[in-house]
């Protein structure tokens, strides 16, 4: 009898020790918008990632008891929203990711965008497109990419270095143009930016000394964020790089030595056929290594190159 009780107790402990997540139903709360957020490993404060909709002043508390921020997984967290008249609760899911790949495509949309979208669909992964207005025939693909869940970021309207980097005024004139162009297509604004040539470009020196230092600060003050790459596919090194060379560059070490978070630079222009050809192998390489592919969003890893001008 004693034995049976001990065995039953052990079974009981075993079963209930696995219920380490709070057993509370999701309370649908209109003031706490987020249902699920994704954070990168070891994020200390997840509050900035929780979307809230309320006109009154508020504070947020998150009970992180069941979230292991150092370990990949999906956890539950209790969010408490305090407004002057009420306290709101909601259980949200917190996805903790470790190795993340952000595929980014500059200069599109183009003749190749549809092929890129098909490949991304095939692997059911999301990416980011930093667009221009150079190819208006394909502008509908900005909408299509957005509807498929990819992130649309702003690259430039003209892609004319001599114009955009000749003065702060010209840069922002160009940025506003692409901003309005994209807003007109999507009906929403996008805060994500990729500087032509990256923030470390030195070509801008030719047109205006110190402009990258100035712009990198000003765009953040205006509510945008810029995303450089920490790995290049090298597909812009020549008009048409060999597929094998693009793959080789894309699976190399990152510039900052941290291969847990990769922002890979690729190009989406009508002539870059080998980028499209290389894409499936690059995706498969990282899938096999356990990477999660994410589109850039407010919770993303941010990489800024060193500014040289
Ligand atoms: Zn570009």
């Amino acid at each position: 009898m004693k034995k049976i009780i001990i065995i039953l107790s052990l079974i009981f402990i075993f079963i209930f020790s696995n219920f380490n997540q709070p057993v509370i139903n999701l309370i649908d709360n209109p003031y706490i918008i987020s249902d699920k957020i994704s954070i990168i490993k070891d994020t200390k404060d997840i509050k900035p990632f929780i979307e809230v909709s309320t006109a009154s002043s508020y504070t947020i508390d998150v009970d992180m008891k069941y979230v292991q921020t150092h370990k990949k997984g999906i956890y539950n967290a209790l969010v408490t929203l305090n407004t002057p008249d009420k306290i709101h609760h909601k259980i949200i899911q917190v996805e903790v990711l470790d190795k993340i790949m952000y595929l980014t495509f500059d200069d599109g949309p183009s003749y190749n965008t549809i092929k890129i979208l098909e490949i991304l669909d095939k692997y059911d992964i999301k990416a980011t497109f930093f667009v221009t207005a150079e190819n208006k025939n394909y502008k509908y693909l900005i909408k299509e990419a957005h509807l498929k869940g990819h992130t649309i970021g702003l690259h430039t309207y003209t892609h004319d270095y001599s114009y955009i980097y000749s003065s702060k005024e010209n840069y922002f004139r160009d940025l506003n143009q692409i901003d309005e162009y994209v807003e007109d297509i999507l009906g929403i604004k996008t805060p994500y930016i990729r500087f032509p040539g990256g923030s470390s470009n030195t070509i801008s020196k030719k047109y205006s000394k110190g402009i990258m230092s100035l712009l990198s600060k000003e765009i953040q003050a205006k509510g945008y964020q810029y995303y450089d790459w920490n790995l290049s596919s090298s597909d812009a090194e020549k008009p048409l790089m060999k597929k094998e060379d693009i793959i080789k560059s894309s699976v190399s070490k990152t510039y900052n030595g941290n291969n847990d978070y990769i922002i890979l630079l690729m190009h989406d222009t009508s002539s870059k056929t080998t980028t499209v050809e290389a894409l499936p192998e690059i995706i498969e390489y990282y899938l096999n290594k356990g990477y999660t592919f994410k589109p850039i969003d407010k919770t993303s890893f941010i990489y800024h190159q060193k500014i040289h001008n």
Side-chain angles (χ1 to χ4, degrees):
M1 187 62 191
K2 218 174 171 186
K3 253 188 184 165
I4 291 172
I5 289 171
I6 291 169
I7 289 168
L8 281 175
S9 305
L10 285 173
I11 291 171
F12 185 83
I13 289 165
F14 174 77
I15 290 171
F16 284 89
S17 64
N18 283 322
F19 282 98
N20 61 347
Q21 302 267 318
V23 190
I24 311 174
N25 289 327
L26 273 170
I27 306 158
D28 200 21
N29 187 301
Y31 299 98
I32 303 167
I33 309 289
S34 305
D35 295 316
K36 180 180 176 181
I37 59 164
S38 297
I39 56 166
I40 49 181
K41 216 169 58 179
D42 298 326
T43 300
K44 296 272 179 297
D45 187 8
I46 73 162
K47 284 179 224 162
F49 307 124
I50 295 166
E51 203 184 335
V52 163
S53 163
T54 170
S56 40
S57 61
Y58 66 88
T59 56
I60 289 184
D61 285 314
V62 187
D63 184 347
M64 296 281 283
K65 198 163 45 188
Y66 301 101
V67 183
Q68 299 185 44
T69 52
H70 63 283
K71 203 172 141 197
K72 187 175 173 173
I74 297 175
Y75 308 94
N76 290 334
L78 177 65
V79 178
T80 305
L81 174 73
N82 303 288
T83 55
D85 55 322
K86 219 178 159 196
I87 298 173
H88 310 271
H89 297 289
K90 186 175 174 180
I91 304 276
I92 65 160
Q93 283 194 317
V94 179
E95 180 184 29
V96 177
L97 299 167
D98 48 12
K99 292 184 284 188
I100 308 178
M101 166 57 89
Y102 301 95
L103 295 175
T104 65
F105 296 92
D106 286 11
D107 299 347
S110 76
Y111 170 76
N112 282 319
T113 310
I114 198 82
K115 296 180 192 165
I116 293 170
L117 290 175
E118 276 169 14
I119 294 169
L120 298 174
D121 272 355
K122 188 185 152 201
Y123 291 97
D124 193 22
I125 60 178
K126 307 297 174 208
T128 302
F129 293 84
F130 289 103
V131 300
T132 77
E134 287 181 296
N135 232 333
K136 295 203 173 57
N137 288 345
Y138 300 108
K139 98 189 228 190
Y140 71 97
L141 291 170
I142 295 179
K143 178 92 178 177
E144 189 152 331
H146 168 72
L147 291 175
K148 283 177 182 288
H150 304 292
T151 292
I152 304 300
L154 309 174
H155 192 37
T156 166
Y157 194 86
T158 60
H159 216 299
D160 178 355
Y161 287 87
S162 69
Y163 172 70
I164 58 169
Y165 291 144
S166 60
S167 71
K168 186 179 98 178
E169 289 69 30
N170 283 357
Y171 176 81
F172 281 107
R173 212 168 284 142
D174 177 271
L175 183 68
N176 284 339
Q177 268 183 296
I178 189 67
D179 198 346
E180 281 170 18
Y181 182 76
V182 168
E183 191 182 359
D184 195 45
I185 296 167
L186 303 183
I188 54 158
K189 276 197 170 298
T190 175
Y192 313 109
I193 285 182
R194 161 88 33 94
F195 285 117
S199 68
S200 65
N201 82 79
T202 48
I203 191 164
S204 56
K205 227 180 236 176
K206 231 165 92 182
Y207 309 109
S208 180
K209 222 169 165 260
I211 193 154
M212 296 318 297
S213 308
L214 183 74
L215 294 178
S216 59
K217 287 190 191 78
E218 291 237 348
I219 64 146
Q220 293 185 77
K222 285 179 191 279
Y224 297 103
Q225 180 56 274
Y226 69 96
Y227 296 79
D228 288 316
W229 55 94
N230 61 353
L231 187 62
S232 169
S233 68
S234 77
D235 65 347
E237 267 173 30
K238 278 196 284 189
L240 195 62
M241 288 285 284
K242 274 200 210 120
K243 171 191 164 185
E244 289 70 27
D245 293 337
I246 294 174
I247 295 170
K248 204 171 150 209
S249 301
S250 301
V251 303
S252 318
K253 270 247 161 297
T254 57
Y255 305 153
N256 57 330
N258 181 355
N259 274 65
D260 288 342
Y261 311 113
I262 304 176
I263 303 181
L264 180 64
L265 170 70
M266 306 183 99
H267 289 85
D268 169 16
T269 64
S270 298
S271 63
K272 300 248 175 265
T273 50
T274 48
T275 301
V276 179
E277 288 164 21
L279 187 57
E281 280 176 56
I282 295 167
I283 292 171
E284 280 173 31
Y285 175 86
Y286 285 105
L287 283 176
N288 287 337
K289 289 205 160 252
Y291 280 77
T292 305
F293 287 75
K294 284 274 176 188
I296 284 174
D297 64 22
K298 285 189 175 152
T299 69
S300 295
F301 166 71
I302 297 169
Y303 182 69
H304 288 168
Q305 293 169 358
K306 198 170 180 318
I307 292 173
H308 299 294
N309 176 29

